[in-house]
Amino acid sequence: RTYRRAALASHLHVLSSDRDPCLDPGVLCASTCANRSAMASRMGALLHREPLPPAAVGEPTAAAAEVAVARSADEVAEAAAAAVRSIALGDLVIVYEGFGKQKAVTLAEKGQFQNRYGNFFHRDWVGKPYGCKVFGKGNAGFVWLLAPTPELWTKVLPHRTQILYLPDISLVCHYLELRPGAVVLESGTGSGSLTHSLIRAVAPAGHVYSFEFNLVRAQAAATEVLEHGLAHLCTVTHRDIEADGFPASLAGCADAVFLDLPGPWKCVASAAASLRPDGVVCSFSPCIEQVQRTCEAFEEHGFGDTRTVELLGREYDVEARDMQRDLGFEAPKMASRWKRESKEKAKRKRTRVDGGGGDGGDEDGEDGAGGESVRSCVVAHPRQQAQSHTGYLTFARLVPYADPEVARAAREAGAANRRG
């Protein structure tokens, strides 16, 4: 957070009407102040954490420094507890039931959340801090109440289309060089998974203009942005970018453009007109043929430094297993490997695995004299499954001095060098 505040302060010092002809700094500051009340609602509060209370006005003295250093841990804890926002009616809460199982819940006066751990009444959650553990009626089980973040929202959002997940989203935000105060154009809002991460990256002075050609999806995304308290940072518009291009009012105003379209090459010219010099564009395409046509369009319209990236995830399983230490000892065999592993897991259920002592002998005496030859330890091994393909991410930078003639001459010179 310290790095983020420093980056934001540095950017606000250099922000001027010359830097951004489409955004007046005075209007931005006034808009930011006017929306401070909206920042405290729902997901918007997570993007605008209030700074620590300012020190008293006046010249610092040695005595004041000693008092500041001598503050007790209790005072620091109280200040941290006061900064934690409590849950209120109407807030969006991510209910964490277990690994890979979360659900988004909006608190209502007579609302109730039900799962295998029991019934949870929304009114019992009011006033509790985010991150707390709550029990259902009868203490049958508990869940965690988490504050909404773009990462958690990606896991629980309603899927209107296929979405981008965290590995791709993090790479997009990094390669687009997003920073507080930047202006981003997004074509293909879809379910809004990437949109929330873009908003966080440019907050609190930037803006995301998102366009969706499907009217129903555009209205649903606009409603979500409004309910999450992010309307002052994002504008969702119903528009077919492939056919109509980006609005002329945004010409030369964007720092970055993201395209998630069936035919991204059709709107590369419009993206080039909307970008500032040295701006970055990213295109997400599932097929390599789309990538080829998009790269040709990038080169034709003055883009350079083009690169295509594919992220392939590989998951690992971490578990406790019995490792054979004496290779000369013949371990007892069971009917199947699955039966042996299930028996071992049942034996060490809910117990702490320790690298040296093992889990003890089996009840039916299978360890016998060979018990010392087997050691229980925690191992990690790759999961045996095919790597999943999501899509290709193609990035390019708008080079102000490159034109089609220069690009054509560079290609011919490169081909001649390769032949030589």
Side-chain angles (χ1 to χ4, degrees):
R1 287 196 295 265
T2 302
Y3 170 79
R4 191 172 181 81
R5 291 194 190 101
L8 174 59
S10 174
H11 177 72
L12 291 180
H13 279 299
V14 301
L15 184 62
S16 64
S17 56
D18 294 334
R19 173 71 178 89
D20 193 345
C22 296
L23 295 176
D24 183 15
V27 175
L28 282 176
C29 294
S31 175
T32 302
C33 295
N35 288 289
R36 289 182 69 87
S37 59
M39 294 177 185
S41 63
R42 303 182 179 91
M43 190 178 293
L46 301 171
L47 306 181
H48 305 277
R49 298 189 183 277
E50 294 294 338
L52 295 177
V57 179
E59 293 296 330
T61 62
E66 291 179 1
V67 172
V69 173
R71 285 189 308 173
S72 65
D74 294 338
E75 293 176 349
V76 176
E78 291 177 2
V84 176
R85 180 172 171 267
S86 300
I87 300 174
L89 290 176
D91 283 354
L92 177 67
V93 177
I94 307 300
V95 180
Y96 182 90
E97 302 181 46
F99 183 78
K101 190 172 184 181
Q102 303 90 27
K103 187 175 182 180
V105 176
T106 301
L107 269 63
E109 176 66 30
K110 298 182 180 180
Q112 184 178 171
F113 177 76
Q114 298 179 347
N115 64 0
R116 58 178 179 173
Y117 300 118
N119 297 334
F120 300 83
F121 293 96
H122 292 184
R123 61 176 179 269
D124 296 336
W125 296 352
V126 175
K128 295 184 179 297
Y130 281 109
C132 67
K133 178 168 62 175
V134 295
F135 290 84
K137 293 300 180 183
N139 292 330
F142 62 85
V143 295
W144 297 91
L145 305 181
L146 304 181
T149 63
E151 290 80 9
L152 290 176
W153 181 247
T154 295
K155 294 178 176 291
V156 300
L157 59 79
H159 285 235
R160 297 181 288 270
T161 59
Q162 291 185 348
I163 66 172
L164 268 71
Y165 290 94
L166 300 181
D168 290 325
I169 290 175
S170 60
L171 190 68
V172 168
C173 293
H174 173 66
Y175 274 16
L176 289 184
E177 302 175 358
L178 301 183
R179 63 192 183 280
V183 177
V184 184
L185 308 185
E186 178 193 20
S187 178
T189 310
S191 302
S193 175
L194 175 65
T195 308
H196 284 75
S197 293
L198 296 178
I199 293 173
R200 182 178 60 181
V202 304
H207 203 88
V208 176
Y209 295 92
S210 187
F211 301 91
E212 172 61 46
F213 81 95
N214 183 281
L215 179 59
V216 177
R217 292 200 293 263
Q219 292 174 345
T223 301
E224 286 177 354
V225 168
L226 182 62
E227 291 178 348
H228 296 166
L230 305 174
H232 59 291
L233 294 170
C234 179
T235 302
V236 180
T237 306
H238 173 231
R239 184 182 179 92
D240 188 353
I241 297 299
E242 285 190 4
D244 304 327
F246 292 103
S249 58
L250 297 176
C253 294
D255 296 291
V257 174
F258 180 81
L259 305 175
D260 186 2
L261 301 169
W265 58 88
K266 299 178 183 178
C267 55
V268 169
S270 178
S274 302
L275 279 171
R276 297 190 179 96
D278 204 41
V280 183
V281 62
C282 174
S283 173
F284 178 83
S285 302
C287 301
I288 195 64
E289 291 80 9
Q290 296 171 301
V291 174
Q292 293 173 340
R293 298 188 64 175
T294 304
C295 290
E296 293 174 354
F298 283 157
E299 189 173 352
E300 180 181 353
H301 291 88
F303 287 90
D305 193 21
T306 305
R307 67 180 70 182
T308 299
V309 181
E310 180 186 20
L311 296 181
L312 298 176
R314 188 177 189 183
E315 297 183 358
Y316 279 73
D317 287 325
V318 180
E319 60 184 1
R321 283 192 174 182
D322 289 339
M323 307 297 291
Q324 190 73 24
R325 302 172 64 182
D326 184 4
L327 299 181
F329 172 74
E330 183 177 358
K333 296 182 179 180
M334 299 182 68
S336 66
R337 179 172 66 90
W338 303 111
K339 183 178 179 181
R340 182 174 67 254
E341 290 187 356
S342 62
K343 183 175 181 179
E344 292 298 326
K345 289 181 179 179
K347 182 177 62 176
R348 59 175 174 264
K349 184 179 180 182
R350 298 294 184 183
T351 60
R352 181 178 181 275
V353 177
D354 133 324
D359 290 325
D362 283 344
E363 294 178 358
D364 51 6
E366 283 189 2
D367 284 356
E372 296 180 357
S373 302
V374 178
R375 178 180 180 181
S376 179
C377 60
V378 178
V379 298
H381 56 89
R383 185 171 297 177
Q384 299 300 320
Q385 64 179 15
Q387 294 179 336
S388 58
H389 166 77
T390 55
Y392 300 100
L393 292 170
T394 303
F395 300 89
R397 185 181 300 274
L398 182 62
V399 184
Y401 51 81
D403 52 28
E405 290 75 15
V406 174
R408 190 177 303 106
R411 286 199 306 272
E412 293 175 355
N417 293 335
R418 288 191 295 272
R419 288 194 299 268

